[in-house]
Amino acid sequence: MPVAGVQILSKEAQTAQSSILTDDALKFLAALHRTFDSARQGLLVARAVAQQRLDAGVPLDFLEETANIRAEPSWSCAPPAPGLEDRRVEITGPPDRKMVINALNSGAKTFMADFEDSNSPTFANLLNGQVNLYDAIRRQIDFDIGGKSYKLSPNPAVLIVRPRGWHLDEPRVTVDNQPISGAIFDFALYFFHNAKELVARGVGPYFYLPKMEHYKEARLWNDIFNFSQSYIGLSHGTIRGTVLIETLPAAFQMEEILFELREHSSGLNCGRWDYIFSFIKRRRADRTAVLPDRSDVTMEVPFMDAYVRLLIQTCHKRKVAAMGGMSAQIPIKDDPKANEIAMAKVRADKLREVKNGHDGTWIAHPLINKIAVEIFNEHMVGPNQYHIRREDVRVAAADLLSTAVPGKITAAGIRSSVATSLAYSGAWVGGNGCIPLNYLMEDAATAEITRVQLWQYVKYGSRMDHGELVTAEYVDKLVDEIVPTLKSATITEKNLDIVARYLKKQIRQEWPSEFLTSDLMPYLAVADGCPPQFQRSAL
């Protein structure tokens, strides 16, 4: 029997109807939407209002309204949930069936199954991902393909799921003729089908929460957690959420975010690539915030170092995990010398993190697990480093906003940005959200950096190190040169045409779009059979 007010607008839905899109699950989705979507919409409006203040020259600062929360020493977050005491290495990736098995078998402590930046949200990817996680939890995910067997090990990593951010709609599912939130869709289906099974197996429903910009957005997640636990009869505090601090505004509200989620918090994570993207986007009206080549914006530059030190201090003050970020390097199998250089960068990055006081780190490839584990085992003898309080740290607003970034804007850097933007976006429209490119693992966050940097250079008339002006026409020429080189079995000519036109339009905008994933989502939805009236075109 159809659930009142709920429509599934996709040709992909039928195969998942019996296992994932069940009537009871859809009733839960509808209840969450009707209870919380108006609050979500209000918070998105608040983001736009905050951006207007920044554009008018009002700088970001720590909030006066919450000074008492930051000053109060007595509160702390929940103790680590089962399986989250030791998170020294976490592997991440999309919920593809083979990826899920390989990641859970990698030897990492946890696996973050990602419905967000490393996943292209075709309806098939989303529903298959839910099926794969359902099967993995119940140890029924093994399969054979191409003469090779993929089998789950007896002691797999602990599973954490990252739903999409608050900004993304899920247009293929409507409640009362309105698209539901992509975040609620991803969270709700995973939680509804698996929470009790996870608890029965000695762990729990654990999440990574992305792209928040205000502590009230964390409050919304906490409200959803409480509602959801009550809905299925689970004890409050069973859910855990680790918040990615990956927007510039959130860096000024870390303690407030932990406070809102304190009964459900499992810490904060340095979402480094999205953080750089947000640094540029939120300071779009500030011509002094133009950054050099992406490769020059390292974790050692002042504004990134300040954000890391403040995050570690904040987490350990409130007794939760301060998780490090992702090294984008992946193994180079056919060039031992180049591979050693790449792996040396990984070692240096992980050593910096553990010595700073991080409690764990992220990797993107199973073969890098050994490097990360060895470094954390040598320098972190216990399960975490909560005892390293970093009381020496003093971070002011000016430190988080520093534009003192040594480096240059180069022709090679711009060409690389154009190629990365086109290749990733073309793959994403084709259903692939995570691609290796020049021995780096690129996802939506790195593609976003390239997009807004190109916009920034054109907007403010930046010059390359040899003196040539970066113009829209210069970028157009590079786009036209690079597009023919990218066509492949997974990146089609049609999709390259879509993203080439998109990039050319983006660099000419007064302001860059908030997210390329929001802009390009209509192409996925139409391909899934979603009616055009629920779409808008980015081009």
Side-chain angles (χ1 to χ4, degrees), residues 239-312:
I239 296 174
R240 287 292 193 275
T242 305
V243 174
L244 290 125
I245 300 298
E246 53 186 354
T247 70
L248 186 59
F252 290 85
Q253 301 180 40
M254 293 189 207
E255 288 200 71
E256 293 90 330
I257 288 169
L258 287 178
F259 181 80
E260 293 294 341
L261 283 159
R262 59 194 181 279
E263 293 180 354
H264 298 107
S265 178
S266 51
L268 304 176
N269 173 287
C270 286
R272 60 176 74 172
W273 308 120
D274 266 305
Y275 191 76
I276 296 169
F277 164 48
S278 179
F279 186 91
I280 298 168
K281 181 174 65 172
R282 289 290 164 253
R283 303 185 69 185
R284 65 190 190 180
D286 183 357
R287 64 172 54 248
T288 70
V290 175
L291 299 180
D293 285 357
R294 176 168 66 121
S295 60
D296 290 327
V297 188
T298 67
M299 297 305 294
E300 286 79 21
V301 303
F303 81 89
M304 295 296 285
D305 180 61
Y307 138 78
V308 166
R309 289 184 291 114
L310 181 60
L311 184 143
I312 294 168

Side-chain angles (χ1 to χ4, degrees), residues 199-247:
V199 172
R201 290 175 179 270
V203 285
Y206 305 146
F207 298 91
Y208 259 107
L209 307 177
K211 306 235 182 343
M212 285 192 275
E213 302 206 12
H214 198 279
Y215 71 86
K216 290 181 180 178
E217 297 180 21
R219 181 181 297 171
L220 177 57
W221 269 121
N222 199 67
D223 290 344
I224 287 172
F225 290 169
N226 283 327
F227 178 97
S228 300
Q229 289 164 145
S230 295
Y231 189 96
I232 69 165
L234 209 60
S235 298
H236 282 215
T238 303
I239 296 174
R240 287 292 193 275
T242 305
V243 174
L244 290 125
I245 300 298
E246 53 186 354
T247 70

Side-chain angles (χ1 to χ4, degrees), residues 36-115:
F36 297 108
D37 197 62
S38 61
R40 177 181 77 100
Q41 298 293 348
L43 291 167
L44 295 177
V45 171
R47 286 187 187 181
V49 172
Q51 183 63 58
Q52 291 172 357
R53 288 198 299 270
L54 294 175
D55 291 345
V58 180
L60 281 166
D61 205 343
F62 298 97
L63 301 177
E64 290 184 16
E65 69 196 62
T66 53
N68 61 318
I69 291 173
R70 297 193 299 276
E72 175 54 58
S74 64
W75 67 269
S76 59
C77 294
L84 297 181
E85 300 89 348
D86 185 337
R87 301 169 64 183
R88 65 189 61 216
V89 179
E90 298 188 330
I91 189 168
T92 76
D96 167 80
R97 200 167 185 88
K98 185 168 77 171
M99 176 72 201
V100 169
I101 294 173
N102 287 342
L104 290 173
N105 289 348
S106 67
K109 291 290 186 179
T110 75
F111 165 46
M112 187 198 78
D114 188 17
F115 286 97

Side-chain angles (χ1 to χ4, degrees), residues 183-461:
I184 287 176
F185 180 85
D186 300 337
F187 161 81
L189 291 178
Y190 178 74
F191 176 83
F192 183 82
H193 289 298
N194 301 301
K196 288 185 175 179
E197 182 71 22
L198 286 161
V199 172
R201 290 175 179 270
V203 285
Y206 305 146
F207 298 91
Y208 259 107
L209 307 177
K211 306 235 182 343
M212 285 192 275
E213 302 206 12
H214 198 279
Y215 71 86
K216 290 181 180 178
E217 297 180 21
R219 181 181 297 171
L220 177 57
W221 269 121
N222 199 67
D223 290 344
I224 287 172
F225 290 169
N226 283 327
F227 178 97
S228 300
Q229 289 164 145
S230 295
Y231 189 96
I232 69 165
L234 209 60
S235 298
H236 282 215
T238 303
I239 296 174
R240 287 292 193 275
T242 305
V243 174
L244 290 125
I245 300 298
E246 53 186 354
T247 70
L248 186 59
F252 290 85
Q253 301 180 40
M254 293 189 207
E255 288 200 71
E256 293 90 330
I257 288 169
L258 287 178
F259 181 80
E260 293 294 341
L261 283 159
R262 59 194 181 279
E263 293 180 354
H264 298 107
S265 178
S266 51
L268 304 176
N269 173 287
C270 286
R272 60 176 74 172
W273 308 120
D274 266 305
Y275 191 76
I276 296 169
F277 164 48
S278 179
F279 186 91
I280 298 168
K281 181 174 65 172
R282 289 290 164 253
R283 303 185 69 185
R284 65 190 190 180
D286 183 357
R287 64 172 54 248
T288 70
V290 175
L291 299 180
D293 285 357
R294 176 168 66 121
S295 60
D296 290 327
V297 188
T298 67
M299 297 305 294
E300 286 79 21
V301 303
F303 81 89
M304 295 296 285
D305 180 61
Y307 138 78
V308 166
R309 289 184 291 114
L310 181 60
L311 184 143
I312 294 168
Q313 181 193 57
T314 300
C315 287
H316 291 176
K317 177 181 177 183
R318 304 304 179 183
K319 300 179 183 177
V320 284
M323 299 303 296
M326 176 72 75
S327 292
Q329 288 81 14
I330 57 176
I332 305 171
K333 296 179 180 179
D334 55 354
D335 189 336
K337 186 174 181 180
N339 185 64
E340 181 51 41
I341 293 170
M343 294 306 101
K345 291 180 180 179
V346 173
R347 289 187 192 94
D349 184 63
K350 302 315 173 192
L351 185 61
R352 174 193 57 78
E353 288 184 324
V354 72
K355 286 190 171 183
N356 271 340
H358 278 297
D359 302 295
T361 189
W362 272 15
I363 61 171
H365 196 287
L367 294 178
I368 293 176
N369 181 64
K370 185 173 183 289
I371 294 173
V373 167
E374 286 177 351
I375 289 170
F376 269 79
N377 283 353
E378 180 179 353
H379 297 279
M380 189 174 85
V381 294
N384 54 57
Q385 302 194 88
Y386 295 4
H387 59 283
I388 297 179
R389 297 288 296 273
R390 292 306 306 264
E391 291 173 342
D392 58 305
V393 169
R394 298 289 183 273
V395 173
D399 299 316
L400 294 172
L401 298 172
S402 173
T403 56
V405 180
K408 299 175 181 178
I409 300 171
T410 68
I414 291 175
R415 175 174 283 273
S416 174
S417 287
V418 171
T420 298
S421 180
L422 293 170
Y424 180 80
S425 301
W428 191 92
V429 173
N432 185 357
C434 187
I435 63 168
L437 194 63
N438 297 322
Y439 303 110
L440 298 174
M441 190 59 74
E442 305 286 15
D443 69 2
T446 49
E448 291 285 35
I449 296 171
T450 62
R451 175 176 66 92
V452 294
Q453 279 203 297
L454 292 168
W455 170 86
Q456 192 181 48
Y457 296 158
V458 172
K459 171 77 171 180
Y460 293 111

